[in-house]
Amino acid sequence: MGEQRNFRVWRGDDNGGQLEDFQVEVNDGEVVLDIIHRLQATQAPDLAVRWNCKAGKCGSCSMEINGKPRLGCMTRMSTFAPEETVTVTPLRTFPVIRDLVTDVSFNYQKARELPAFAPPADVAPGEYRMQQIDVERSQEFRKCIECFLCQNVCHVIRDHEDNKQAFSGPRFFIRAAELDMHPLDTRTDRKDAAVEEQGIGYCNITKCCTEVCPEHIKITDNAIIPMKERAVDRRYDPIAWLGSKIFRREQLDKPAGYATAGVATAPRPNAGTADTPVEQAAAHGAQGDISANWHREAAAGHAAPVGPDGKLPVTEFTGQLAGAQSPFGDDVEFPMPATDINYQHPNRPDEH
């Protein structure tokens, strides 16, 4: 015979509810979900709770226990003092359906918006080959059981209803990071999508998602921060920007009509024959539609000579070089007027 313990459980639906007190038997080794089931069997047969595996692998029994988001099946009663009242409430970020069951369909909608893995076209299933270090890097993120505790504690979702449409949340940031780090994924727009469609810029890395993860995934350190760094490097790093504008020999071997950064370029004349600096500069002129500005076409830049190995000499980086054009254009004055400043979620370029 176990001891009697004080339990407080939220009862209600989307129209409202309240906490109800119970005295319930607790035995050695039991978890909170066991006590919920005992309440259903003895005192509250209509108590609604979502659960499935009872082994910490399905993520169904997410709830808030004494104010902290946890899995009911993984929270042992021995962690609470005998005289302590254990309060069980539903996840407060998502709409309540009934009692401890919440509507988490928001997360499944965000999952549908995320582009799936895109394997190489010339590699058949069963022929994928990866280095073990790449397997281990992404395997951590695949441990996610979709309990949505990280989504529940994320203040961007929890406290700001207006952000939900423009913010995917930590569970899907790790999915995007996993695919972006995958050596066989052929999509090149995941970093842009993380900023423009998932709203990763709203995350201020408080690490609350990492604290509540039952699988101990380092969501912030291993996924969100690296993904933020990759997105910033791609968009704002002046070295990366300059590197993308310097003409390299390997670009000469691209087929006619090859698309760079989502912009289709004109066919290059005399493909494969531009071996001199003059010919290289002429070939580079065919790529003048890759603009240095967002709203105008830039003049073709000077193509620096490269060596037989296709690399630039060190002097090209240490010599006196002209400054890059402003991405805002020459007709924009600073500070920008308040009417031109937009704090809303950015749209994709093709929507302007």
Side-chain angles (χ1 to χ4, degrees):
M1 186 71 177
E3 61 177 345
Q4 294 292 310
R5 300 282 293 273
N6 296 321
F7 245 71
R8 183 173 294 165
V9 182
W10 195 89
R11 304 295 308 278
D13 54 25
D14 56 349
N15 294 319
Q18 66 284 325
L19 290 168
E20 293 186 6
D21 292 318
F22 297 93
Q23 283 278 327
V24 62
E25 178 185 342
V26 175
N27 301 309
D28 290 343
E30 288 187 326
V31 296
V32 170
L33 186 58
D34 292 324
I35 310 307
I36 296 297
H37 287 165
R38 183 167 291 122
L39 285 174
Q40 288 178 319
T42 59
Q43 303 180 51
D46 60 341
L47 175 60
V49 61
R50 183 183 283 132
W51 70 284
N52 188 18
C53 74
K54 204 176 179 183
K57 292 301 177 185
C58 73
S60 300
C61 61
S62 299
M63 56 186 70
E64 296 193 7
I65 303 170
N66 284 2
K68 182 176 181 179
R70 305 184 183 188
L71 294 179
C73 68
M74 299 300 289
T75 305
R76 292 196 173 275
M77 289 299 300
S78 59
T79 61
F80 306 105
E83 67 279 3
E84 184 177 0
T85 297
V86 179
T87 302
V88 184
T89 55
L91 300 179
R92 68 182 68 182
T93 298
F94 305 111
V96 173
I97 296 177
R98 182 178 155 200
D99 297 339
L100 303 179
V101 179
T102 55
D103 181 3
V104 294
S105 58
F106 163 83
N107 302 289
Y108 297 107
Q109 177 61 37
K110 293 300 180 182
R112 285 193 290 267
E113 295 173 1
L114 186 65
F117 173 70
D122 56 344
V123 180
E127 297 179 357
Y128 299 160
R129 297 295 182 268
M130 294 171 59
Q131 295 293 327
Q132 184 61 32
I133 189 173
D134 292 324
V135 175
E136 294 170 353
R137 186 179 195 185
S138 61
Q139 189 64 29
E140 176 190 10
F141 307 136
R142 297 192 67 86
K143 294 192 301 180
C144 175
I145 60 176
E146 295 201 324
C147 60
F148 303 128
L149 294 182
C150 61
Q151 300 283 90
N152 179 62
V153 299
C154 180
H155 64 277
V156 181
I157 304 175
R158 186 168 186 149
D159 300 331
H160 305 281
E161 186 68 27
D162 293 342
N163 288 338
K164 286 189 176 181
Q165 296 303 315
F167 189 78
S168 294
R171 189 276 169 267
F172 302 104
F173 292 155
I174 67 172
R175 177 62 174 161
E178 172 203 341
L179 293 173
D180 193 56
M181 297 173 184
H182 200 297
L184 296 179
D185 184 70
T186 58
R187 293 191 69 102
T188 61
D189 62 346
R190 297 198 185 276
K191 288 175 278 292
D192 291 331
V195 175
E196 298 165 0
E197 298 173 4
Q198 292 186 281
I200 196 172
Y202 290 151
C203 171
N204 57 6
I205 56 176
T206 57
K207 296 191 178 183
C208 50
C209 52
T210 302
E211 289 184 11
V212 300
C213 180
E215 288 294 320
H216 307 292
I217 302 172
K218 293 181 174 59
I219 300 173
T220 309
D221 292 337
N222 291 355
I224 296 179
I225 291 177
M227 200 62 180
K228 276 176 169 280
E229 291 173 342
R230 288 178 173 218
V232 168
D233 286 346
R234 182 181 180 92
R235 288 169 167 257
Y236 306 114
D237 186 349
I239 302 301
W241 182 89
L242 179 61
S244 68
K245 300 303 176 185
I246 294 177
F247 196 63
R248 295 183 295 271
R249 176 174 290 274
E250 55 264 32
Q251 290 177 311
L252 297 176
D253 299 326
K254 299 299 183 184
Y258 181 79
T260 302
V263 182
T265 64
R268 181 180 59 78
N270 302 323
T273 63
D275 293 327
T276 68
V278 175
E279 291 173 337
Q280 290 171 1
H284 190 226
Q287 297 187 348
D289 57 344
I290 303 177
S291 177
N293 298 323
W294 297 327
H295 61 292
R296 67 183 65 187
E297 182 175 321
H302 171 69
V306 296
D309 57 355
K311 297 181 179 179
L312 289 167
V314 176
T315 54
E316 289 297 327
F317 295 97
T318 58
Q320 295 295 323
L321 299 177
Q325 293 174 285
S326 168
F328 295 97
D330 300 330
D331 55 345
V332 177
E333 297 181 356
F334 290 92
M336 296 178 69
T339 55
D340 293 346
I341 300 177
N342 180 14
Y343 293 100
Q344 302 300 317
H345 184 65
N347 296 319
R348 296 187 66 86
D350 54 5
E351 294 178 354
H352 290 298

